[in-house]
Amino acid sequence: VSDRIEVTAAGGAYPVLVEPGLARRLAGLLPSDRAALVIADANTAELLGTDLADRLGAPLFELPAGEASKTLAWVERACSAAAAAGLDRDALIVAVGGGVVGDLAGVVAATYLRGVGLVHVPTTLLAQVDSAIGGKAAVNLPEGKNLVGAFKPPEAVYVDPELLAGLPEREFRSGLAEVAKYALIADSRLFDLLRENSGAVVARTMDLMTAIIARCCEIKAGVVSRDEREDGERAILNYGHTVGHALETALGYGVMTHGEAISVGMEVAARLGLAAGVTPADLPARQGDLLRAFGLPLAPATAPATVGVEALLRVISRDKKARAGEVRWVLLDRLGHATAGHRIDPAVVGEVLAGSLP
Amino acid sequence: VSDRIEVTAAGGAYPVLVEPGLARRLAGLLPSDRAALVIADANTAELLGTDLADRLGAPLFELPAGEASKTLAWVERACSAAAAAGLDRDALIVAVGGGVVGDLAGVVAATYLRGVGLVHVPTTLLAQVDSAIGGKAAVNLPEGKNLVGAFKPPEAVYVDPELLAGLPEREFRSGLAEVAKYALIADSRLFDLLRENSGAVVARTMDLMTAIIARCCEIKAGVVSRDEREDGERAILNYGHTVGHALETALGYGVMTHGEAISVGMEVAARLGLAAGVTPADLPARQGDLLRAFGLPLAPATAPATVGVEALLRVISRDKKARAGEVRWVLLDRLGHATAGHRIDPAVVGEVLAGSLP
């Protein structure tokens, strides 16, 4: 099984290759005449990064695993490593890891010598179906997530579903939230496939997962090819993310995984869509069934005092995508189709949020 | 007197306006419907930045004057200030200062929310004729200068020659090195004008300086419009800069000004051009006459032990523009014309360097 998906970007098209076992062949696929720096975290260095760096004869830059490494200070350290290794403008940054590594490596590749090459080797489900595709890279500020970065399309994305075998259960299920999102916003047939085979999905059946990952990559590639800079259509990819991000911020990172927060965010968005008369009446329950089958939460498992409606609304109004404090919502208008730019009366948002929190 | 020069960039053209008194009218020229952050250093905040921020109703971010502020840590602080002020994607970064402020603000504008607007208000001669035009922005690493950054074309560059009145003498003369460079590489008539009026230039005669600055901006705008990413012609702007940068690195920043180092670099480049049979025999002396008239050095005023030939050659081979350690030189083939990409036997380079150092 092998899939090749083409992504159109301002600087030229790039391929996303999806194939079990691809990681083992990687050293032979990368250009041998260009100096490289492999960036990984402690886990992905052991999984693949150290071996790949050895085979490439390239230095490895290792950062601590976790969101706390997504800072300009770590970008600087990685750029210093590139400079110390003498990497010139022809060089290639090879990102081996999940979203944190991919984001950090993307910012490094966008800024070191004002831009060098980038290749993504995503090692989590979330990175394979989402963050490695589309060219968005950013690090965090004390003031919020992903506030400093760049558009940096990679030269190629190498997706090996076999790398998911060792992924912790909670992290795998977190990725399934984005998989469900693609089905909900763009592909009702994928939704049926997921719903009918949720057991095999959760069991990570290789052929099934390869097909699902390839389809998700195809959907994301299509959207970002048509709207690289998020002037329009790309916004639908943020389905569930407004409340999801607000939850992550309000709770503090690490309390819920990104996928768990997005899952709750999609539940809230479905209820909002219903309240706004955009989303069909049966959709919230059908969406909820799939998310539950994936072991994902529909409400945060915390006391209301920790993350109240007021606090969430405050964070939501500061969302990076808000303009002049006004939030635009992504809503489902039918299964497999979303539209962006919906304005909803803040009082309605408050009511729906109050009804959605524990 | 007012000049409007158009620069072509990948993201769209932008104007460079050159006009005495422009700074006083600036608040009225900037879009009133966009949030802004004014970035200045301690000196330029007093000169213009604080007043401009007040008139715009915008926050001022002040960094310490000097090269030591050109770091990712200061980029992060400025981005945090932008986030704390609630700046969204429509926002404008207004850089009021010399090369350090312009570079830092450029990196901030390129990366905050993955890119917001940028306007340059250059306050030094060097920034007015060089660094504010062309979209290059970068900060330093411990490993070297300008190693992390981006291409970030501004929306406009506002050049007010009256701002130069208070510039320290040494900094003004430093800018004259770049002025001389433009004449040498691109305009023999400008060379004659400078040579015949060097006294009035050094005295900063306003009408003359305005005409000279506008002509330099025109030359730079032409070169970077034809070659934004430095694949070819733009390299001629680096005349004198290979040895100049190496001197700055080897001596430590601040020992020589950028212009003084470039002046010495041009002297070495002229001798190299002569040795390579590219530069006419009378050119080094004519170039030296102009540089001396501007009060610029033709050799570093340090003991040979501090900055030996070997040390310089090592730094030169690590130059950002070197490919696989091989340096390509920019040489004059006649007065007012330069060509890039010259390879010169390292032994010849060593000899010429040895003959050029004190």
Side-chain angles (χ1 to χ4, degrees), chain A residues 5 27 43 59 72 88 111 121 130 144-146 149 153 161 171 183 190 192-194 260 275 298 328 348 352:
Chain A
I5 298 147
N43 302 325
L72 279 179
D88 67 14
T111 58
V121 187
D130 183 14
K145 250 184 106 164
N146 294 333
E171 210 169 333
L190 177 60
D192 293 339
L193 178 78
L194 296 173
E260 288 163 2
L298 304 185
R328 307 297 175 90
V348 174
V352 169

Side-chain angles (χ1 to χ4, degrees), chain B residues 105-225:
Chain B
V107 177
V108 169
T111 57
Y112 177 64
L113 304 184
R114 297 195 189 90
V116 295
L118 172 67
V119 158
H120 279 301
V121 187
T123 60
T124 66
L125 180 55
L126 189 70
Q128 291 187 346
V129 299
D130 182 14
S131 57
I133 304 168
K136 278 191 183 182
V139 295
N140 304 330
L141 288 179
E143 286 74 15
K145 251 185 107 162
N146 295 332
L147 293 181
V148 185
F151 282 92
K152 179 65 192 180
E155 296 183 15
V157 183
Y158 296 99
V159 177
D160 182 351
E162 286 183 5
L163 292 177
L164 304 182
L167 209 62
E169 187 61 21
R170 200 175 165 200
E171 210 170 332
F172 180 76
R173 288 175 191 254
S174 175
L176 288 179
E178 296 284 356
V179 170
K181 183 198 75 179
Y182 287 115
L184 289 159
I185 64 169
D187 189 349
S188 62
R189 286 177 56 194
L190 177 60
F191 183 89
D192 293 339
L193 178 78
L194 296 173
R195 193 68 199 86
E196 287 156 19
N197 301 279
S198 59
V201 168
V202 170
R204 310 185 198 185
T205 309
M206 188 50 57
D207 282 0
L208 180 65
M209 280 313 296
T210 300
I212 289 169
I213 290 168
R215 179 63 191 130
C216 291
C217 290
E218 206 170 57
I219 294 170
K220 175 131 192 197
V223 172
V224 301
S225 292

Side-chain angles (χ1 to χ4, degrees), chain A residues 84-294:
Chain A
L87 263 63
D88 67 14
R89 289 172 178 178
D90 287 326
L92 202 56
I93 304 294
V94 182
V96 177
V100 170
V101 168
D103 256 331
L104 188 108
V107 177
V108 169
T111 58
Y112 178 64
L113 304 184
R114 295 194 191 91
V116 296
L118 172 68
V119 159
H120 279 302
V121 187
T123 60
T124 66
L125 181 54
L126 189 70
Q128 291 188 347
V129 299
D130 183 14
S131 58
I133 304 167
K136 279 192 181 181
V139 296
N140 305 329
L141 289 179
E143 286 76 15
K145 250 184 106 164
N146 294 333
L147 293 180
V148 186
F151 283 92
K152 178 65 190 178
E155 296 182 15
V157 183
Y158 296 98
V159 177
D160 183 350
E162 285 184 6
L163 293 177
L164 304 181
L167 210 61
E169 187 61 22
R170 200 176 165 197
E171 210 169 333
F172 180 76
R173 287 174 190 253
S174 175
L176 288 180
E178 296 284 356
V179 170
K181 184 197 74 178
Y182 287 115
L184 289 159
I185 65 169
D187 189 348
S188 62
R189 286 176 58 192
L190 177 60
F191 182 89
D192 293 339
L193 178 78
L194 296 173
R195 193 67 197 85
E196 287 156 20
N197 300 279
S198 58
V201 169
V202 170
R204 311 184 197 184
T205 309
M206 188 51 57
D207 281 1
L208 180 64
M209 282 311 297
T210 301
I212 289 169
I213 290 167
R215 179 63 191 131
C216 292
C217 290
E218 208 171 57
I219 294 170
K220 174 131 192 198
V223 172
V224 302
S225 292
R226 290 187 293 269
D227 177 25
E228 186 177 17
R229 293 278 169 157
E230 195 170 329
D231 299 314
E233 183 188 354
R234 187 164 180 165
I236 65 166
L237 297 175
N238 295 317
Y239 180 59
H241 282 58
T242 302
V243 166
H245 280 158
L247 271 173
E248 290 183 271
T249 304
L251 288 168
Y253 296 106
V255 177
M256 296 179 86
T257 66
H258 179 68
E260 288 163 2
I262 296 317
S263 181
V264 174
M266 291 193 286
E267 166 72 8
V268 173
R271 293 186 188 200
L272 276 173
L274 202 61
V278 173
T279 302
D282 65 328
L283 235 177
R286 294 181 69 187
Q287 171 181 294
D289 283 347
L290 181 64
L291 296 174
R292 264 192 300 264
F294 284 170

